[in-house]
Amino acid sequence: MPSSVMPMITPPDRHPSSAAVSASGLRKSYGDKVVLDGIDLQIPAGTIFALLGPNGAGKTTAVKILSTLITADGGRAQVAGHDLSAAPQAVRAAIGVTGQFSAVDGLITGEENMLLMADLNHLSKQEGRRVTAELLARFDLAEAAKKPASTYSGGMKRRLDIAMTLVGSPRIIFLDEPTTGLDPRSRHNMWQIIRELVADGVTVFLTTQYLEEADQLADRIAVLNNGKIAAEGTAEELKRMIPGGHIRLRFTDPDAYRTAATALTGAARDDEALALQLPSNGTQRELRSVLDWLDSADIEADELTLHTPDLDDVFFALTATVPTQSKESAR
Ligand SMILES: Nc1ncnc2c1ncn2[C@@H]1O[C@H](COP(=O)(O)OP(=O)(O)OP(=O)(O)O)[C@@H](O)[C@H]1O
Ligand SMILES: [Mg+2]
């Protein structure tokens, strides 16, 4: 059937009117350096979107444009249904932004920072105090509330920063590297908070250097490289784009290793580690056939590990300046 007569079916969550953020052809240059070279985005309301990319790729620039802090040189974007250039005030009223670098005032206490945000958001004194107490507790800052923020650790300042963003109950939140500098427990707490926000219908646009973070949180992920979106999709879709799955067999007995290496002609050898690496799609059937073969050849590997491509592999594959190959497979 020719595509022109195909019925147009738009899944409900992809309908443009429910997009929290949509952008097309966004461009931005600094001098003759092109930072964003035509970026298209479509982020359904109530979802988490992660923007990944190497240092200097333009992630912060994209966040600043979409949150009206700077203007794009070209392209169009709508945030919360409002046009960025025609109605920046309406956009600002609907969003919260936590920048990559802290907005916390160190001279006043954590609580005072929060109350200041409540004032800026036109909350009543009573409501401001209620929201402040609730958020400080939620971010594990109640105990430190009355201390000057300058005495906070980096992680505490980061948590305060994000708590401040939530004071006005924004429907769309931009988080530029929300968990950079947080210890693993604080990072997991932050993930939990982000999930709770999304469960309440909030849309989260985050940038991150932690691929695991995108993998854990994001409904959709875009990888920014050389001014363009190099790939966009769910974590699973991105992982499927690149090869890299393998089964690794490690031996302690050099004879067993040599026997296996001779027999398994398709395997990449790591003679130093006495390890063999077989390409694998990670299916049960394939794993079983390798095990059966080892049994029939009376070879016993001391360790068998299954490696499926992770977002690190995707990131390296998509943002490589020269073609890369894993150390093992290059041997
Ligand atoms: N105000 C500015 N003037 C000139 N160049 C700028 C300015 N802001 C950003 N740039 C440049 O634009 C590019 C993208 O910067 P941006 O901060 O958006 O990257 P990023 O992806 O957020 O990087 P990081 O991972 O390090 O935070 C960089 O080359 C940066 O030097
Ligand atoms: Mg940045």
Side-chain angles (χ1 to χ4, degrees), residues 85-98:
S85 48
Q89 289 294 353
V91 171
R92 264 171 237 149
I95 64 171
V97 190
T98 305

Side-chain angles (χ1 to χ4, degrees), residues 19 22 26 98 100 104 107 114 122 128 135 147 158 166-167 187 195 200 206 213 221 242 263 270 272 303 308:
S22 63
L26 281 189
T98 305
Q100 185 169 6
V104 170
L107 294 176
M114 293 289 288
H122 310 296
L135 285 169
K147 294 183 184 145
R158 197 76 196 132
L166 299 183
V167 166
R187 173 166 304 145
R195 290 193 184 104
D200 289 343
L206 64 90
E213 181 160 295
I221 299 168
I242 58 147
D270 182 345
E272 242 166 79
E303 191 182 286
T308 48

